[in-house]
Amino acid sequence: MDHTSEPWECIVVGAGPAGLSAALYLARFRRRVLVLHDGMSRAMRIPLTRNAPGFPEGIAGPDLIGRMLEHCERYGAQIREAEVVEARRHEGTFELRTADGTLHHGRALVLATGLHMGQIPLPHDEHETAIAAGVLRYCPICDGIEHTGTRIAVLGSDRHGAAEALFLRQFSEQVVLLPCQYAGLDADAHAQLTAAGIRVLAAPVVRYAPQADRFDLYLEGRDEPHTFDVVYPALGSQHRNELAQMLGIAIDAHGCTDVASPLGTEVPGVYCAGDIVDGLDQISVAMGHGAVAATRAHNWLRAEDGHVLPAR
C-alpha cells in the first residue's frame, strides 16, 4: 500500500509536456500533487525541437523535460517513476495501482498518458540513432521545414500516408510515397498525388538501411537502394487510453478522448491532457491542455470543499 496517510489532492499520470504542465499549475495552486509516469514520454526521444515557443535555437526533448521536472519539484510536486496498470473510482477517491502493487489515492485525476507511434521495423539502437541523426522523423508538423528542398520519403500506403506526403510537398519538390507492404490508394488520393508531382512507388520496402547522412530503402525486386535525405513513416499511432477506458471515459474511433476533455469528462474529477486528447499532437498544445486541466481540477476540488464560487 502507499505510505501516504491522506490521499493526494490530485494525481497526474504522465510526465510529458502535458502532465508536467498540469503538475506545475496544481503545485502553484498549493495542491498536494503526485505525478506517476513510466518514463515513456515521447518528448524524451526528440533530439532537437525548434517549434517549442521560447527556444529559437531549439531544445532537446530530454532537456525540456528536465527543466519542466525541476520547475514542478521547485513548487512541491512529487514525481515518481512507476507504471500505472489499473485505475478505478473507489469510496470517493481515485485508486491507482502501479505495476509493483502499490496503491495511490487521489481526489482528482489528470490523465496525460500520451500515445505510441507506429514505427518501422528496426532494432531499437539503430532506430534511435537514425532519429538522432535526423534521417528518420515522425512529425512533419514539427520539423518539415527543416527538410526544405531535400529528398523526402513517406512510408505509408493508405490515405494517411498520402495526406502526409501532400503536407510535406509544400517544403520540397522531391517527395516520394512508398508502401511498407502491398496496399492500394483510392483514385482520389492518386489524383491528388499526381497533381502535386509526388511519385508513388508500388513495390514494398523490404529493408531499411539508415546511414549517418541519408536513409537507404531497398524495395522488393530491386538490388540497388532508393536514397533519401529523410524518411517519414506514416504508420499511425496507438493512444494510451487504457486507464481512461477503465474509468468509463468515452473513446472515439481513433482512440482519443473528446476534444473538450481537458475541461472535464463524464467522470467527475477526471481531466485529460496532451496526445490522448483529440487534436494536434504538439508540445505547445499539450502544455495548454495541462494548464486548463489543472485549473479545472483545482476549481472542482474547491467546489467539492464547499467553495462554490470558483476562481476564474
Side-chain angles (χ1 to χ4, degrees), residues 3 12 80 141 253:
H3 296 298
V12 177
R80 298 183 188 175
I141 293 174

Side-chain angles (χ1 to χ4, degrees), residues 180-204:
C180 297
Q181 57 189 7
Y182 286 113
L185 291 167
D186 59 43
D188 177 60
H190 265 298
Q192 292 190 50
L193 292 165
T194 299
I198 296 171
R199 283 200 302 152
V200 179
L201 301 181

